[in-house]
Amino acid sequence: MWTQAILLVVLVCLLGLHFLNPFQARKKYPPGPPVHLVAVKFIQARFRIHPDMFAETAKEYGNIYTVWVGSTPVVILSGFHAMKEGLIKHSEVFSGRPVTPFYQAIVNEKGIVFSNGHTWKQQRKFGIATMQKLGMGKESVQSQIEDEARQLMETFARTKGQPTDPSLPIFNSLCNVICALVFGHRYSVDDEEFLKLLDAMEYNMKFGGTFFHLMYEVLPGLMKHIRWPYKAVFNAVDVVLSHAMKETEAHRAQLAVHDPRDFIDYYLLQMEKSKNDPTSTYDDANLFQCISDLFTGGTDTTSATLQWALLLMVTHPDIQEKVQKELEDAFGSSQNISYQDRKKVPYTFAVIHEIQRFKCILLTGNPRLCMQDVTILGAFIPKGTMVVPDVHSVIYDPEIWETPRMFNPNHFLDQDGKFVNREEFLIFGAGARACPGKAMAMMELFTFFTTLLRAFTFKLPEGVTEVSSEPVKGLTISPGPYKLCAIPCFSDS
Ligand code: HEM
């Protein structure tokens, strides 16, 4: 009863806000579904964004259409052609990030993900260069990733084939990879501070796309005064930033000027180098936010992908067996595998790509901001418009993939069984704001996946014949809770 009343009030507010915009102003955007239908879809999806919410809309309005969220126009790019035209051919035009009221309140346009203009350019360039110096795509990060994959393997070995929920150990391990990169050390899984950090990050990610998040975006003036639904999320943001602050102070106290060890060391040195440069954006606030960005961008994403990977191996034992055979044929059971070896195992590499396509962890493509008036594929998009690439319209497009709704590694193999890179594989975004962590993510997924599949065969627990592959949605889509048994392939695993 109360829920219905609240939903009705919200619906009326959304419609009211929409019609405050004069008709002429609304007419300049590409056409799209009427606002009341959009509001009804949101309500049907219980005020969460649903990836397939607008699946049919492009058929009616074309590949570039506008969805009105209250008074805010959001232009959707649907299909590969529109996304390529926008994100790649007009890369600079769509290089902005819209800073919505909620993210303005928690991020304040600092760091990389939610900054713009000079700050974004400087922080992103520094972030990429530093990740490369720290060996992203090279050996040092590779060996940290291998260490974490081995630790995860040992955690599974300790379960002795008994049913276990893999989500927490996976999340811990992938978080520790970022800890090594940013802080220069890993944490024990019993460390209270580490557990607090993990909880806070998980809470932040799960809050994205929820009812109260969307309410803050749509009615910020009102929601700023209703504090209770936001207390926990603001606390969680504080936990991550305070941790970054504490680590930074410890690094400052023993700064390794000649031998920077990690991201924080490099950043502090850069702050020192540019202290007399009036255009410098290197400061504590940007450093803390960059750290938070690397954690949020680099843990939930890889962790959700690896959770899907094991779930898909459990539900597709034939594919699991084929991967294990390929690994055994290429490397035997003892030789170490590194990311450079991926070309020797094209089937396994194709399976990893297909996992990411088939169980796409993104709710939508990350929103962009249009930096100038532009016309693409005949559609005019005014400067300042929020633009969302509908990545699901590409990765499930039947014109592109042979069996889009089936888990089929052949999507990434040619007739001779060689791995094929597909330009439609857009899950890391594209253009000026494409994911700077792609190389590291692929290295992590390859190393963890091959290490685990060489050591174990993953099975459903005895008596369980089915496992739900219904996703849990937050800002990233991860599988709902499930248990599996890690059966050692060799008796000493
Ligand atoms: C499977 C893993 C991952 C996926 C699917 C993924 C996906 C994405 C996507 C779709 C974007 C937005 C791109 C756009 O706006 O077009 C993005 C941005 C970003 N990602 Fe990733 N990512 C992953 C892993 C990582 C890792 C490991 C890191 C860091 C270590 C990272 C750091 C970032 C950052 C900092 C941004 C913001 C870039 C900007 O705004 O300029 N990501 N990622």
Side-chain angles (χ1 to χ4, degrees), residues 28-30 64 75 77 85-86 89-98 116-117 121 368-376 379-387:
K28 64 182 179 179
Y29 294 91
I64 302 176
V75 169
L77 304 180
E85 193 69 21
K89 286 206 186 143
H90 293 83
S91 178
E92 279 304 310
V93 177
F94 291 104
S95 67
R97 187 75 81 205
N116 277 303
K121 283 200 173 130
R368 300 285 189 86
L369 188 70
C370 182
M371 305 304 279
Q372 63 187 68
D373 286 356
V374 69
T375 300
I376 60 165
F380 174 72
I381 306 176
K383 179 179 175 180
T385 306
M386 187 193 296
V387 175

Side-chain angles (χ1 to χ4, degrees), residues 97 112-113 120 124 131 178 294 297-298 301-302 305 356 361-362 366 368 427-430 433-437 440-441 444-445:
R97 187 75 81 205
I112 304 173
V113 181
W120 167 66
R124 179 178 163 105
M131 284 198 271
I178 303 289
L294 292 177
T301 46
T302 44
T305 310
Q356 295 181 82
I361 59 158
L362 307 174
N366 287 24
R368 300 285 189 86
I427 67 141
F428 289 97
R433 281 203 102 118
C435 176
M440 180 163 168
E444 288 178 276
L445 294 174

Side-chain angles (χ1 to χ4, degrees), residues 314-346:
V314 163
T315 51
H316 296 77
D318 51 329
I319 294 180
Q320 174 167 216
E321 206 178 308
K322 233 172 139 179
V323 170
Q324 287 172 318
K325 180 158 184 338
E326 186 184 57
L327 293 172
E328 173 74 25
D329 291 348
F331 309 107
S333 54
S334 53
Q335 193 187 326
N336 258 354
I337 308 183
S338 79
Y339 188 56
Q340 277 73 10
D341 294 323
R342 62 194 181 277
K343 291 206 176 80
K344 296 182 192 156
V345 283

